[in-house]
Amino acid sequence: MQMTNPNTPVGNNVDDAGRRNRRSAAPGRLPLLFVLVFGLAAGRLQADVTLFVAPEKTGSGSGQTAADAARWTAPEFWKSVAAALKQEPVTVQFAPGVYNVRHNPATRKGTGLDITRPGHEKNLLTLRGAPDFATVLQRDPNDPRDAGSTNFATLMQIRRPRNLRITGLRFAGETPIAYGLQLREAQDVTIDHCRFVDMPGVRYGATGVNGSTSCNITWEDCHFENVGTEISAHMIYNGNGASNITIRNCTFINVPGDFIRFRNGGRNMLIENCSFLMPEVKTPIDYPFISMPLFNSRDPRSTDPEVTRRPFEYFANHITIRNNTFTRQSAPKAGGRAVVLMFHNSYFSPPGVELLFNREDIAQFQAMPDAEAREWLQKRTGIDTAAVTLENNRVNRNTLDRVVYESWPNGADPQRYPDAEYKNLFDLTRLVHRR
């Protein structure tokens, strides 16, 4: 998403209107009136208010000045932000310091920022960290370090934001968290110049967006390094229909799982001008830099209410990966997964597609001409390889500049899908668009 500077008047349409008015106006009068009116309008556009937060409130805690900073999670403060946004753009300035998120055993939730519907259709809301990344959000190092499901917190969770910019924050910490920054059902959001560094406790994502109404989300000029210790950890985890996602000019270093993940639906993903570095691989198998996985644990034949509550998952489509650098320091392990992009399905096939392939299927597919294979694959899986673009990427000798498909059957149904026949990985690279 391209952000509009609220301090810069948007002039093209006004200039066109001005030229039309000048042609019909009396000389010397209406043009001057137009300039005066436009000047007043521009003044209103330039208006901006800055409010202040800190780890704990200071002074009166009103947030009106740095000396009276509000506690960063105070509900009454965020109500005042919403009220101010109805009139003008708002910047929430985070004071320097460490913002510790603690575990609350009573609620089984963390004490991080969890806000709903921040933002405004016209007026931009900016969450700004202190200079030099001196605003640090982390899980309290004194909290429990066990990885039980009740012990995961999210440092900053923003639900249904609109017209939002997050800039200059640092997310860190060793204690377990689900996410550093997670967006849900988000629209028109930019995260720029943020750092996600030294976060071994990440369970799912340093950051990510979720939800079918999420669209126009951009990560730009962000740095990710040393995220997670388990293969479930990713640097950016997007899921469940999030669309129009741009990841640009970012640096990614060292994560055990996929670096970037687009799970279950969504369209129009762009990764460009980024740098990816995987040091020594310590997992039993390689993981791709970018993945588009499905985890269909719902058996379509089941009538069990517990099972039928689970949604079916389908592949995302339309992804462009261009002008990036992918580097691995370890030699690829057996299996062919040290690749730029991988489509993956585990367990069952949802209605309308067949996502599992046996050896005969793969042999048939590999013998087809490209056009026929592309059509056959799309009809069978929903993957449109013509909408996958690899352009001008640079890889080192330990990385395979490939797009692959991997299917894993449901181990609980060996008669229908015997592992020896159905657990397969095969190459799609010849079918994608390359420049």
Side-chain angles (χ1 to χ4, degrees):
M1 177 185 69
Q2 182 176 356
M3 301 301 299
T4 300
N5 185 340
N7 297 323
T8 303
V10 180
N12 291 339
N13 293 335
V14 176
D15 289 344
D16 291 341
R19 285 191 288 271
R20 288 194 297 270
N21 287 337
R22 284 196 292 271
R23 285 197 293 269
S24 60
R29 296 188 61 188
L30 192 54
L32 177 59
L33 177 61
F34 172 78
V35 169
L36 290 173
V37 171
F38 176 71
L40 291 173
R44 285 195 295 273
L45 284 174
Q46 290 173 349
D48 195 343
V49 62
T50 299
L51 302 175
F52 300 85
V53 295
E56 300 295 337
K57 76 172 187 178
T58 60
S60 70
S62 67
Q64 296 297 310
T65 67
D68 295 305
R71 180 171 55 87
W72 69 301
T73 57
E76 59 274 16
F77 170 77
W78 291 102
K79 290 179 182 178
S80 71
V81 170
L85 276 170
K86 294 178 181 179
Q87 305 298 324
E88 55 198 342
V90 174
T91 294
V92 175
Q93 179 63 58
F94 283 65
V98 176
Y99 293 64
N100 275 322
V101 174
R102 299 177 179 89
H103 176 63
N104 186 335
T107 63
R108 296 186 177 182
K109 295 181 179 179
T111 59
L113 182 65
D114 191 338
I115 52 177
T116 299
R117 295 185 184 276
H120 186 273
E121 181 179 358
K122 296 181 180 179
N123 294 325
L124 177 68
L125 171 61
T126 300
L127 309 185
R128 184 184 299 277
D132 300 321
F133 303 103
T135 299
V136 181
L137 280 64
Q138 68 173 29
R139 180 78 184 271
D140 191 323
N142 296 317
D143 266 5
R145 299 203 174 202
D146 65 278
S149 61
T150 62
N151 189 36
F152 291 120
T154 292
L155 304 181
M156 181 180 285
Q157 184 161 240
I158 304 180
R159 308 168 192 265
R160 300 185 182 181
R162 186 171 189 181
N163 199 14
L164 171 68
R165 180 187 179 198
I166 301 171
T167 183
L169 296 176
R170 175 173 172 173
F171 297 83
E174 296 184 0
T175 315
I177 60 171
Y179 287 86
L181 165 64
Q182 187 183 38
L183 308 171
R184 290 183 171 271
E185 307 295 353
Q187 297 182 20
D188 304 319
V189 179
T190 292
I191 304 99
D192 67 272
H193 297 92
C194 289
R195 292 175 64 85
F196 302 82
V197 177
D198 295 333
M199 304 175 72
V202 165
R203 173 75 170 188
Y204 301 117
T207 182
V209 61
N210 184 77
S212 60
T213 64
S214 293
C215 64
N216 302 330
I217 313 298
T218 298
W219 281 269
E220 189 163 17
D221 295 304
C222 292
H223 180 76
F224 299 79
E225 187 169 0
N226 298 330
V227 172
T229 56
E230 302 294 332
I231 60 174
S232 62
H234 313 282
M235 290 177 168
I236 302 181
Y237 194 145
N238 306 304
N240 301 317
S243 298
N244 298 345
I245 295 174
T246 299
I247 301 169
R248 177 187 293 125
N249 300 332
C250 295
T251 303
F252 302 89
I253 302 173
N254 193 27
V255 65
D258 320 331
F259 283 61
I260 299 174
R261 170 172 282 187
F262 300 97
R263 174 182 173 183
N264 185 25
R267 295 172 64 86
N268 302 328
M269 286 73 73
L270 171 64
I271 302 104
E272 65 175 357
N273 301 325
C274 294
S275 174
F276 297 80
L277 171 62
M278 185 64 212
E280 181 183 0
V281 177
K282 298 180 180 179
T283 54
I285 57 178
D286 290 309
Y287 282 83
F289 284 107
I290 302 166
S291 73
M292 302 179 81
L294 307 180
F295 300 99
N296 276 299
S297 60
R298 176 178 175 181
D299 186 342
R301 301 166 297 176
S302 177
T303 58
D304 182 344
E306 178 64 30
V307 173
T308 56
R309 280 200 294 266
R310 303 171 192 165
F312 293 115
E313 300 190 13
Y314 294 87
F315 281 116
N317 262 310
H318 294 82
I319 182 169
T320 297
I321 303 169
R322 67 186 181 202
N323 301 327
N324 304 286
T325 300
F326 299 94
T327 304
R328 291 176 183 269
Q329 293 183 347
S330 298
K333 299 184 178 183
R337 299 171 106 247
V339 298
V340 169
L341 173 65
M342 183 174 75
F343 291 88
H344 170 89
N345 176 66
S346 291
Y347 310 126
F348 299 100
S349 292
V353 294
E354 178 54 64
L355 303 180
L356 298 176
F357 292 75
N358 61 22
R359 295 172 183 174
E360 183 179 344
D361 295 328
I362 296 173
Q364 179 186 356
F365 168 79
Q366 291 174 335
M368 292 177 183
D370 289 357
E372 182 182 348
R374 187 177 291 117
E375 182 179 354
W376 183 83
L377 184 73
Q378 184 172 6
K379 183 177 181 180
R380 178 160 174 152
T381 67
I383 298 172
D384 181 5
T385 52
V388 178
T389 298
L390 299 183
E391 180 181 352
N392 195 35
N393 296 297
R394 299 163 298 281
V395 300
N396 77 328
R397 58 187 174 84
N398 294 326
T399 300
L400 305 174
D401 187 18
R402 294 179 185 171
V403 179
V404 298
Y405 182 96
E406 181 179 62
S407 64
W408 288 4
N410 178 19
D413 195 3
Q415 291 184 344
R416 189 179 186 199
Y417 300 118
D419 281 358
E421 281 291 313
Y422 281 90
K423 191 170 183 179
N424 288 298
L425 182 147
F426 54 95
D427 200 328
L428 305 183
T429 309
R430 68 183 173 105
L431 304 182
V432 306
H433 185 58
R434 306 195 72 175
R435 296 177 184 173

